[in-house]
Amino acid sequence: MTEIGSAGKILIVDDNEANVRLLDVYLRAAGYTTEKAYDGEQALGQVRATNPDLVLLDVMMPRLDGYEVCRRLRADEATNVVPVVMITALKDTEDRIRGIEAGADDFISKPFDKAELLARVKNLLRIKYYRSMVAERGKLDAVIEDISHGIIITGPDFSVTLLNHRARVLLGRENEECLGRKLFELFAGFRMSPTTAELLAPGKRTVAVSLERENVSPGIYLLGRLTRIADSTGAVSNVAFVFRDASEERRKEKLQRDFLSLVSHKLKTPLTIVSGYLSLINMQKYGPLNAEQAKALKLVEARVGELKGLIEKLLQYAGLSAEELRHEAGVVELGAAAARAEARIAQRYGTGHVNFETEVPADLPKVLVEVEHLALVLDNLLDNAVKFTTGSGAVRVRLAARLADERTVEVTVQDYGPGILLSHQTDIFSDFLQVEESFTGNVGGLGLGLPTAKRLVESWGGTISVQSKPGEGASFVFTIPVYAPAATEKRAAGPGLMETA
């Protein structure tokens, strides 16, 4: 579709070659591009082939006259918005009525005036642009009205200009007038993350948004993306919010977490007793042990330790409820947090088993995050890097951080293991999933480390992704918001119920 104000493509249709040449000269001199046809049948083929922005159509032609060409153009959905100017020597009102009934937009009498011709062409191209816009908007409205997601479009000031029926239903606004209201007014009664102030602040083009209403039974949980749409100058022209109902997923997730928590606690108590008695036996409190018994006992203790670690992972995962994720953020020095995480991993796998390559600049800004959540993310990613790196000698793990932009720190945890196939990279953040044992080397675990890390990173508004090729290791990259005093005050206030914007 030609933009308004730009030169268009014009099809000239006339069985008189001299007329075609004259019109061609006038139009090209005015900056238009032209196509030519010398009878009605050829004209219809040219319209389908070249998709012109306007047709200058002679009336009196052999075989297929201009009236019939115009009727066929109007009958075809693909061409019915193309303006048609009939060029005719006929003066009778009756002839012009026939042209109007056929669908002509305007008439120019022969012999024609150059200034009049160009003025009418310019005006009709403008009309064609707006007609096309209306047609496209009609198609868009028809599509989004039946879509299963809620869709809201606003202006740059967040005033709603369009929303579909599904959006009204999900927000409980079926019987309200929503057009012209501020987007955040429609969220009243929902707990939103991130907050209104954080969304209004200049930042990323696309932001994940969650809306939660807990004071109804069953609770309502909506997930979506808010996207700022920029025009050719880079200024925000519209904002789109596309969202869906995730309430059933949230209820199933809660049931799963409750079950895992119950099972984990039931297993933890007897396992603690078993571990305690094993320690007493190993300390020979119940009598001396021979070499074979001591060796067998150490193996049992190691396996009990692994089982305790798995139960702790389950408890961590089950504890990440919506309330847990709303813990207040604090100001954290990333270098110190990374050092503590590396120390825990070194202790877990033994001195000398892991060589850390740490690249955290001393002048890196502090970050705004819940410190225990950051510790869990680093622990899971570093532990994952060590477990999935095989081979003799010490395992290499690289931990690097950099300032991605003035609002974001980017952290990379890189291993030098077997890497991850592209087909698996979208699945590794799914609960209880590991890629096939033949690829991973039968690494133990529950497949909860990466899902836990993803949930935590997203809880503070960050993103996490993987970059990997088989045989070249894997790099997990996540982001953390930079500390700023104003941001701290907003976060400390908590998300609360949405205020009217």
Side-chain angles (χ1 to χ4, degrees), residues 81-100:
V81 298
V82 179
V84 176
V85 180
M86 284 192 164
I87 301 177
T88 177
L90 301 174
K91 304 291 185 180
D92 292 345
T93 302
E94 207 174 291
D95 295 318
R96 298 207 169 216
I97 290 173
R98 282 187 66 195
I100 291 171

Side-chain angles (χ1 to χ4, degrees), residues 278 282 289 291-307:
L278 283 173
N282 193 41
L289 301 171
E292 288 297 319
Q293 290 172 329
K295 181 179 178 181
L297 191 61
K298 284 192 177 296
L299 180 62
V300 172
E301 278 193 305
R303 292 294 179 259
V304 168
E306 289 177 10
L307 187 55

Side-chain angles (χ1 to χ4, degrees), residues 323-343:
E323 287 298 326
E324 175 74 16
L325 293 177
R326 280 199 285 268
H327 280 184
E328 184 178 328
V331 182
V332 178
E333 188 176 310
L334 186 58
R340 289 193 295 270
E342 290 174 352

Side-chain angles (χ1 to χ4, degrees), residues 206-218:
T206 301
V207 183
V209 177
S210 65
L211 299 169
E212 190 168 5
R213 178 175 282 167
E214 297 176 324
N215 57 350
V216 295
S217 183

Side-chain angles (χ1 to χ4, degrees), residues 38 46 51 53 67 71 101 125 128 130 140 149 162 199 312 315 321 354 364 411 419 443 454 475 480 498:
Y38 299 95
Q46 283 284 76
N51 190 27
D53 295 298
Y67 298 127
R71 275 192 288 270
E101 289 175 344
L125 285 175
K128 192 260 183 178
Y130 289 119
L140 175 64
H149 283 50
L162 181 149
L199 278 179
E312 286 301 320
L315 287 172
S321 64
V354 186
L364 192 72
V411 182
V443 175
K454 181 176 186 291
S475 294
I480 318 173
M498 284 302 305

Side-chain angles (χ1 to χ4, degrees), residues 148-152 164 166-168 170-171 187 211 222-225 241-245:
S148 60
H149 283 50
I151 298 177
I152 302 176
N164 65 348
R166 184 60 174 162
R168 294 176 185 272
L170 292 176
L171 296 173
F187 299 164
L211 299 169
L222 309 176
L223 284 177
R225 285 193 174 276
F241 181 55
V242 181
F243 60 109
R244 63 183 179 86
D245 186 358

Side-chain angles (χ1 to χ4, degrees), residues 77 111 238 256 315 337:
E77 185 180 351
N238 293 97
Q256 182 188 71
L315 287 172

